[in-house]
Amino acid sequence: MAPAYDVIVIGAGTAGIPTALFAAARGATVLLIDAADRIGGTLHLSSASISAAGAERQRTRGIVDSAERHFQDCLRINHGTGDLGKLRLWTENAAATVDWLFENGLAMGPDQPELNWSHEYYDVARTFTPPRGGLDCIDVLLPLLQAEIDRGRIDLRLNTRMRALRTTPDGAVEGALTINVDGVEQVFVGRNTILACGGYNFSETFWGVLHGRPRRTYAYPQSMGEGLTAARRLGAYVNYTDDFLPTFGGTVDIDNPNTYWVHTRVGPARRAPWEISLNLNGTRFMAEDNPSPDARERALAAQPDMAFWSVYDSAIQRDAPPLFLWPREKIERAFASHADFRVANSVEELATACGLPPGAVALSVARYNAGQAVGSDEFGRKHMPAPLVEGPFFAVKHYGCCVVSPAGVATDDNFRVLREDGEPIPNLYAAGEILGMGIFGYAFLGGAMVSSAMTFGRLLGDRILAW
Ligand SMILES: Cc1cc2nc3c(=O)[nH]c(=O)nc-3n(C[C@H](O)[C@H](O)[C@H](O)COP(=O)(O)OP(=O)(O)OC[C@H]3O[C@@H](n4cnc5c(N)ncnc54)[C@H](O)[C@@H]3O)c2cc1C
């Protein structure tokens, strides 16, 4: 069958849309498919903080920065881990992505870029966060996409799910087998196929198989890892399965138990802590006011089940700034209905309700209180406004959680998907979260995912015909 398209892009999300736009601008005929009934993918949920060095907006604010400085700063944060080739490619090309978004109407306040506190701080303000997060990015991308569709350069098919990649007898990819919402199967043939269909963060199966853990994530429902599955069937190597850092301290959302995300102000950047954190052995494991997100994430990663209980008493509940980001009604419902939210008259009863060893919990509280009384904490905690003495006592279970899939397919610096032996699978490329967050090393680099997904998509679209 003759190829109908120069490029088939699977996934009309963060990476896939720029890929399709830049390929079309180079004159390619592009098929863009998405399993969902709308474009945008994870941008519908994402805060979409975007980091880049040397963008026009950074320069006009007088912030001195460079791609090299960004690269070195990333290595400082991730301690030299990660895919250095991809880090170079991202840091050298991210500014052009940000400039492109601004040129096409992305609007932000004069305070942007900023030093973003959700991850380890960069050494200079280089993170841009749109007021409505990813929705603002969709507002920029949609008209650009519509213009290319109107010109006939992009053929967009929504409600169209890639089920498998189609190969020639010698193993080269020549397109995709798809199924639409009515159950109709169709084969699309193209010279190059690009997997931009996101990660696996909504898949219990992937979390079990790759990480041996339950899924505790906040993710787009289409992030089922189908791109990884299709690539693995062709022998693709899946990288970064063995270690990852969780985001510090999410709880279950009682109104959406599929979702774990940050619903409390447990991090000192949001609110200096009044509570103590106890792991599943009933012991403290860090200074709760440690300001380094990286140190906090590493400490949590080392705890049993990457989980801890935030424990406080009635005086703290009454006197401290609010712990929860939820309204009072929802907090009361949580304590009345969910096993991760416990209240009891004594510390020992609370421990039993939480499934923690009562003796260990009582000792942890007593030691904290004794240190608090003299202003000297065994973990070096500085902010200790009150002891835990007044019943009833409260406990909220927190988990290390993830908004990004840690593992992903291995690719070379031209985004060709690699087999276990390091050889590329002919005509198959990948960009976006399907590469895994591991490319950024054993650390969170703030604003790296959206920025790199768009940047790699842009580069891939721009260069694929030449490659
Ligand atoms: C709550 C939240 C907050 C976040 N905040 C940030 C942040 O501030 N900064 C940052 O850098 N990152 C952030 N991230 C991560 C970042 O948003 C994602 O990593 C990134 O958007 C993923 O881009 P992608 O193109 O790989 O996937 P997506 O944008 O999800 O696009 C994939 C597309 O593929 C489609 N698809 C899936 N399977 C198939 C199939 N079989 N066939 C056809 N189509 C398919 C999906 O419908 C989707 O449209 C956040 C994520 C979440 C969930």
Side-chain angles (χ1 to χ4, degrees), residues 10-16 33-36 38-43 45-51 116 118-119 129 160-163 196-199 201 218-220 222-227 261 402-405 431-435 445-453:
I10 298 165
T14 320
I33 68 168
D34 202 289
R38 59 182 182 173
I39 64 138
T42 303
L43 288 175
L45 306 180
S46 180
S47 319
S49 289
I50 299 170
S51 296
N116 190 294
S118 12
H119 300 293
T129 305
T160 302
R161 179 177 298 279
M162 180 274 300
R163 290 187 69 179
C197 39
N201 233 5
Y218 181 18
Y220 192 57
Q222 301 292 347
S223 299
M224 293 299 289
E226 289 169 354
W261 189 229
C402 277
V403 291
V404 183
S405 315
E433 196 176 312
I434 192 171
L435 305 186
L445 302 180
M449 293 304 291
V450 169
S451 178
S452 67

Side-chain angles (χ1 to χ4, degrees), residues 297-323:
E297 287 156 2
R298 282 165 198 270
L300 179 53
Q303 303 313 308
D305 200 23
M306 293 190 187
F308 67 92
W309 291 86
S310 257
V311 175
Y312 54 101
D313 73 349
S314 289
I316 291 176
Q317 190 204 34
R318 185 181 61 238
D319 299 336
L323 170 65

